[in-house]
Amino acid sequence: MPTYQQFPLPDAGEGLTEAEIVAWHVAVGDRVEVNQTIVEIETAKSLVDLPCPWTGVVTRLLVTEGTTVEVGTPIIEVDTDPDGAPAPGAPADGAETQGGVRAHQPHPDRSSAEPGGADEVEASRPEPEAGEKPGAVLVGYGVADGTSARRPRTTAAPAGPAGTTPTNAPAPVTPATGARPGAATPAAPRASAAPGRPTATATATATATSTAPVPARTGTGRALAKPPVRKLARDMGVDLDAVAATGPGGIVTREDVLAHSVRAEGRDLATYPGDDRPWLASGTVTPDGRQTRVPVKSVRKRTAEAMVASAFTAPHVTVFHTVDVTRTMKLVERLRGDREFADVRVTPLLIAAKALLLAVDRHPEINASWDEAAQEIVFKHYVNLGIAAATPRGLVVPNIKDAHRLDLLGLARGLGELTATARAGRTSPTDMSDGTITITNVGVFGIDTGTPILNPGEAAILAFGAIRQQPWVHKGKVKPRHVTQLALSFDHRLVDGELGSRVLADVAAVLADPAQALVWG
């Protein structure tokens, strides 16, 4: 007999509380196997594929794509015994619904009504007690008599012969009382509404009529608008008679004029602006087309929370250094021609990462974190080197585990894999946890330097600026040299100015002369 299992959304990371359903890889009626990928979700850290824990047939997808749900919420239902004997009262074997999928039979202890369906809503509404005067509260009038708080059910009945009611159709609802024929009625008779007093039904009808959009006039009537709106239309060169009015009573509003102007310029409100950008495409454009409102969620939400916590918890100090990196650029060119580095991408960032690892080895106190709860400074005897990566989903900071153990070639491969995975949106929560120190390469955007904010739980972050050819005094002469700027931000609770300055000076020394790494390495 059918056995239904509901799969709750698991915690795909470390203490995550919610995730967004990005894409379903299965549909109702599909057969699934254990560990088969069924859905892709987006957490506050990364995109994650969830496997199915059972073998069976998908009977329901409980959450639609694009919906954010909390951990523990059921997202899919699977029949783990689809080939067993049918449940009592179920169609015989071979009986199928339209489309070839066997009809879904509900759990014996579950109502046949879908959650949130019309039947459940109707059942959840309490019937009026005897003598009770149900109705909406009208401002200035109190409770209107002779009206019902319940809306009549709008269940469509199957078509039948004229003047007949199908036997399986629900009993009609009397609009005046909201009761079906034969149902108990209140003992006290309902008094009709007082003369001249609007009823709830009349008020609702008038409201719906007044707020419905009014089509543009054909030129036979003058548009209704307030003086400021008329002035705006005159300044923008908009003909008010051609504007579709959405205000009460057919009044043209400011938003109507702005929206008409946007359409007149050939822009589409549904896609304006930047519909090719994921963070804009997921938002809602305002009626006038001048704003796009995007919900804060996923990576952006996580980044905002982390940056606020870091900026207002750790006192930041930033030190700067301008350095001649001409020798580093020559080393990069030589490595690109080396056959051992043929399968990896060699950039100046690779040398900067190696320089930072050497500086941490010489000053291990920089590789630490502040434990507020225990009031302790935690020194790390390993280096998980974080690299800030810009992705279509936002900024993520995955880290290379145990980077201090890697030689230059191993570090190059680690950087390549890390950035490729991040840009594909496949960075796992594990790859972004337990970082100890970070590099942010702002130079790739042509930026000279900045004051980076610490990654939470770390004591320092290095900003690597753009490398430019500039006039530089070299051996007593002014020559064009490759120059860059470095910035190191650190947590002043556990890193003082001397330590931060020494670390930055060591990074600059290796970039100025990579041969120094042989002495310190």
Side-chain angles (χ1 to χ4, degrees):
M1 113 179 243
T3 302
Y4 300 97
Q5 298 281 357
Q6 291 188 348
F7 180 41
L9 179 69
D11 179 4
E14 300 177 348
L16 297 178
T17 59
E18 63 182 17
E20 177 185 347
I21 304 299
V22 176
W24 285 104
H25 298 306
V26 295
V28 174
D30 289 352
R31 284 189 171 268
V32 292
E33 303 291 336
V34 175
N35 291 331
Q36 175 183 339
T37 298
I38 56 175
V39 66
E40 181 182 47
I41 66 172
E42 182 177 16
T43 70
K45 295 185 176 181
S46 62
L47 291 173
V48 180
D49 291 329
L50 295 183
C52 183
W54 311 293
T55 296
V57 173
V58 177
T59 56
R60 287 197 301 168
L61 302 180
L62 304 177
V63 180
T64 59
E65 294 180 357
T67 303
T68 299
V69 295
E70 295 183 356
V71 170
T73 303
I75 59 175
I76 189 174
E77 184 179 79
V78 176
D79 181 4
T80 58
D81 188 19
D83 301 321
D93 288 342
E96 296 179 345
T97 62
Q98 186 177 9
V101 180
R102 182 175 290 120
H104 168 62
Q105 296 298 322
H107 292 285
D109 58 347
R110 188 171 64 199
S111 168
S112 60
E114 294 292 333
D119 291 338
E120 182 176 319
V121 173
E122 289 292 336
S124 65
R125 291 175 179 158
E127 294 292 336
E129 299 292 338
E132 181 185 0
K133 292 194 274 186
V137 177
L138 304 180
V139 178
Y141 296 100
V143 179
D145 297 329
T147 59
S148 172
R150 288 182 55 187
R151 293 181 298 175
R153 296 183 60 181
T154 57
T155 305
T164 63
T165 301
T167 56
N168 62 343
V173 179
T174 304
T177 63
R180 295 179 176 82
T185 57
R190 300 174 187 263
S192 60
R197 179 176 296 179
T199 63
T201 304
T203 303
T205 304
T207 302
T209 303
S210 64
T211 57
V214 178
R217 286 148 298 283
T218 58
T220 58
R222 181 176 173 81
L224 300 178
K226 295 180 179 180
V229 177
R230 291 187 180 278
K231 182 179 184 304
L232 174 65
R234 184 169 58 253
D235 294 343
M236 298 182 66
V238 173
D239 181 8
L240 278 178
D241 292 337
V243 177
T246 62
I251 295 178
V252 177
T253 65
R254 175 185 178 87
E255 289 73 20
D256 296 337
V257 174
L258 295 174
H260 180 84
S261 176
V262 171
R263 294 189 182 94
E265 295 175 8
R267 288 181 279 169
D268 185 0
L269 291 180
T271 58
Y272 172 81
D275 57 317
D276 58 333
R277 302 175 186 176
W279 56 275
L280 277 175
S282 61
T284 302
V285 182
T286 56
D288 59 8
R290 294 165 65 87
Q291 296 179 348
T292 298
R293 305 185 72 87
V294 180
V296 179
K297 57 184 180 180
S298 251
V299 172
R300 178 57 58 189
K301 182 177 181 180
R302 178 74 175 184
T303 301
E305 293 172 349
M307 292 300 97
V308 170
S310 177
F312 291 97
T313 301
H316 285 56
V317 173
T318 306
V319 291
F320 305 90
H321 198 321
T322 303
V323 57
D324 176 5
V325 293
T326 303
R327 293 182 180 179
T328 289
M329 297 303 293
K330 292 180 179 179
L331 173 61
V332 169
E333 290 301 321
R334 287 200 300 270
L335 292 177
R336 287 173 177 171
D338 193 310
R339 66 177 62 184
E340 288 192 22
F341 289 80
D343 60 340
V344 296
R345 187 165 180 260
V346 179
T347 66
L349 178 63
L350 171 63
I351 311 303
K354 188 63 177 178
L356 181 59
L357 291 173
L358 291 172
V360 171
D361 183 62
R362 284 169 51 82
H363 308 281
E365 300 92 341
I366 197 75
N367 194 46
S369 63
W370 183 277
D371 190 338
E372 180 65 28
Q375 286 294 293
E376 295 176 342
I377 297 176
V378 182
F379 294 100
K380 313 291 180 64
H381 303 299
Y382 58 92
V383 180
N384 289 344
L385 181 62
I387 304 294
T391 73
R393 300 173 54 245
L395 181 70
V396 296
V397 189
N399 58 75
I400 303 173
K401 305 298 183 186
D402 294 327
H404 62 292
R405 297 179 178 176
L406 301 176
D407 58 12
L408 193 61
L409 179 59
L411 188 60
R413 288 174 176 163
L415 279 172
E417 294 172 359
L418 179 145
T419 54
T421 303
R423 288 170 182 165
R426 297 295 175 183
T427 303
S428 67
T430 303
D431 291 337
M432 289 187 286
S433 63
D434 197 25
T436 63
I437 195 167
T438 296
I439 296 179
T440 176
N441 184 14
V442 297
V444 73
F445 306 109
I447 302 302
D448 292 331
T449 190
T451 54
I453 297 179
L454 295 169
N455 206 26
E458 300 178 11
I461 179 172
L462 175 70
F464 185 38
I467 299 176
R468 308 179 188 278
Q469 275 200 324
Q470 297 180 8
W472 192 263
V473 178
H474 178 67
K475 295 181 179 180
K477 297 182 180 180
V478 177
K479 297 181 179 180
R481 306 285 289 181
H482 287 92
V483 178
T484 190
Q485 290 186 342
L486 305 174
L488 183 74
S489 292
F490 50 86
D491 186 344
H492 214 350
R493 294 175 299 178
L494 48 92
V495 179
D496 56 26
E498 179 188 7
L499 175 59
S501 298
R502 289 184 180 276
V503 169
L504 185 60
D506 282 0
V507 173
V510 174
L511 289 174
D513 184 8
Q516 186 67 42
L518 296 176
V519 179
W520 292 343

